[in-house]
Amino acid sequence: MSQAVSFAVQHGQLVGARQIPSPNYNQRPEGTEIQLLVIHNISLPPSQFGGGYIEQFFQNKLDWSVHPYFQTIEGMQVSAHLLILRTGEVLQFVNFNDRAWHAGRSSYLAKAECNDYSIGIELEGCDDQAFTEAQYQILAQVTQAIRAAYPKIGPHIAGHSDIAPRRKTDPGPYFEWQTFRALLAEQSIN
């Protein structure tokens, strides 16, 4: 077990995360309450970790010529609120009070456009490899801090595949929902 890191949300920023602002965001619709947490996975190039390519991608600074896969995503403008690296380091790209561009066309409990009312967390990972223990530990701690700041989220935590099932597969078959939920339960007791 890794040690607990102290996370808190202040004015939409996760204290304890490295701040790397993305230009890929806009305002949430007026009067919208944050009520969903969406878990994703991302690796650039696919199934490869490190290199800083995800951060560059979310900042529109990725050199499309570095890898053939990058040419297939050239010009895309996407972001997530948070990225949790394999090491457990947390990067914040978009303030929680703003609308990140992570979900695309999506629906949760018959309510469309999840970007409007959700927070998106990317895990550095892929559909064909296990996530790290550090990622589960930090994801649970970050989730607790987010739910404390945005209580309407409550139990509403979904994978990208749950809100866009015909388009997306992440966080994928290697994401251990039981492990994650057990860590959440353990932390809410402590």
Side-chain angles (χ1 to χ4, degrees):
M1 292 278 177
S2 67
Q3 277 190 301
V5 178
S6 180
F7 291 106
V9 176
Q10 292 179 356
H11 309 291
Q13 286 197 320
L14 183 67
V15 176
R18 183 160 47 106
Q19 301 295 316
I20 304 175
S22 170
N24 303 329
Y25 74 94
N26 57 359
Q27 299 303 303
R28 295 182 187 273
E30 196 164 327
T32 300
E33 291 189 273
I34 297 168
Q35 50 193 302
L36 174 65
L37 190 66
V38 180
I39 300 173
H40 306 260
N41 78 44
I42 187 171
S43 57
L44 290 176
S47 301
Q48 294 181 34
F49 310 124
Y53 299 122
I54 301 167
E55 297 96 303
Q56 294 167 24
F57 184 48
F58 287 170
Q59 292 182 294
N60 301 337
K61 294 179 179 178
L62 184 61
D63 180 348
W64 311 112
S65 68
V66 169
H67 189 276
Y69 176 78
F70 295 170
Q71 293 160 24
T72 69
I73 59 173
E74 185 171 355
M76 289 180 74
Q77 294 184 328
V78 297
S79 62
H81 291 94
L82 301 178
L83 168 65
I84 301 176
L85 300 176
R86 308 286 290 174
T87 59
E89 183 182 5
V90 183
L91 314 178
Q92 183 166 16
F93 293 92
V94 176
N95 186 294
F96 296 136
N97 296 328
D98 291 321
R99 182 181 183 270
W101 303 344
H102 62 95
R105 293 286 167 250
S106 52
S107 176
Y108 180 75
L109 299 178
K111 186 174 180 179
E113 305 302 333
C114 295
N115 280 340
D116 290 350
Y117 57 90
S118 69
I119 289 174
I121 300 179
E122 293 274 7
L123 299 175
E124 183 181 28
C126 56
D127 284 4
D128 56 12
Q129 293 182 47
F131 295 90
T132 68
E133 180 184 340
Q135 286 178 299
Y136 286 108
Q137 292 283 342
I138 296 300
L139 177 60
Q141 293 166 26
V142 165
T143 298
Q144 292 295 67
I146 291 171
R147 290 198 307 191
Y150 304 99
K152 291 238 178 199
I153 290 175
H156 301 290
I157 301 171
H160 200 185
S161 57
D162 298 318
I163 63 169
R166 289 184 275 296
R167 292 187 311 108
K168 297 296 180 178
T169 57
D170 59 311
Y174 283 86
F175 184 75
E176 298 173 9
W177 284 100
Q178 284 185 304
T179 298
F180 171 56
R181 293 196 186 280
L183 286 168
L184 273 181
E186 178 183 303
Q187 290 178 14
S188 63
I189 292 169
N190 295 336

